[in-house]
Amino acid sequence: MAVEDFVKYYEGVGIVKFNENYRYKSINFDHSKTNKNHSVFRLVLQEDSHIFLSVNQKDERWFSPDSFDYSIVRMMVGRCSEEGVEYLDGVVEYDRNVVIESTLAAGSYLVTIDMQWVDNPSEKDEAKRHWRKANLSAYSEKVVNFEEIHEPDFHKIERNLFMSYI
């Protein structure tokens, strides 16, 4: 295949890490109806585990080519304890898939996601113009359970994460 044809038909090349013993789990979140930009998830591990946490946005090929931009994602992970929540890792990126790779001990964690949603004003399809949906996924060697925390005090949680880092 000629390079010109490849570029015309494919978005890019991805190198995927695969381990046949790892497990995949994901949960969708939708900010389009709530007019909010953030979500908080509780993640529970029964055993220590190597893990990839990823915030995944819909691929740009779903939208009109001249009207699309990925949104900026900030994801932070904190370990819950009796003293509060302790910052472990975080990332801010502008990409379809934003990933944190870590090894986490058994326990309870909070994952905060703040999206700087980009509206696509030239998109003709109203549903796509204000697309504010994504998902959080985990790819890990041990079982991961997570749930969205509804109506969290997002700013307080993030302030505590930042303060534990300082």
Side-chain angles (χ1 to χ4, degrees):
M1 174 183 278
V3 171
E4 293 79 16
D5 290 337
F6 182 87
V7 170
K8 180 178 176 182
Y9 294 108
Y10 298 99
E11 168 72 19
V13 176
I15 299 172
V16 179
K17 293 182 180 182
F18 174 75
N19 185 318
E20 63 186 39
N21 296 318
Y22 275 39
R23 295 154 175 84
Y24 179 84
K25 186 163 189 166
S26 70
I27 186 169
N28 296 326
F29 58 93
D30 181 354
H31 294 165
S32 63
K33 296 180 179 120
T34 62
N35 200 30
K36 66 178 182 174
N37 294 330
H38 50 264
S39 291
V40 177
F41 297 88
R42 178 177 291 109
L43 181 146
V44 178
L45 290 166
Q46 299 300 323
E47 302 176 71
D48 297 359
S49 183
H50 180 250
I51 189 170
F52 297 88
L53 291 170
S54 178
V55 175
N56 310 293
Q57 299 182 61
K58 191 170 270 292
D59 190 270
E60 67 184 299
R61 290 178 289 174
W62 195 75
F63 300 91
S64 300
D66 60 341
S67 69
F68 181 77
D69 249 337
Y70 287 117
S71 298
I72 297 171
V73 177
R74 182 180 71 228
M75 175 173 46
M76 294 194 299
V77 178
R79 182 174 173 86
C80 299
S81 69
E82 291 185 19
E83 292 80 39
V85 62
E86 176 189 2
Y87 174 88
L88 296 179
D89 207 343
V91 63
V92 176
E93 283 187 37
Y94 162 79
D95 206 347
R96 183 183 79 176
N97 308 97
V98 175
V99 180
I100 291 176
E101 178 182 3
S102 189
T103 299
L104 301 177
S108 180
Y109 298 84
L110 291 180
V111 179
T112 64
I113 298 170
D114 185 44
M115 303 291 296
Q116 299 302 308
W117 292 108
V118 173
D119 288 329
N120 299 292
S122 61
E123 176 64 58
K124 293 175 182 30
D125 183 340
E126 177 69 25
K128 295 179 182 178
R129 186 177 308 138
H130 302 291
W131 184 263
R132 293 174 178 231
K133 300 177 184 178
N135 79 29
L136 171 65
S137 66
Y139 184 61
S140 59
E141 63 182 331
K142 303 296 181 184
V143 174
V144 173
N145 291 304
F146 46 61
E147 64 180 341
E148 186 167 6
I149 299 173
H150 298 283
E151 304 301 325
D153 188 339
F154 180 79
H155 299 294
K156 181 178 180 181
I157 293 167
E158 285 218 322
R159 184 174 52 251
N160 289 339
L161 282 168
F162 287 129
M163 293 303 290
S164 74
Y165 182 74
I166 296 175

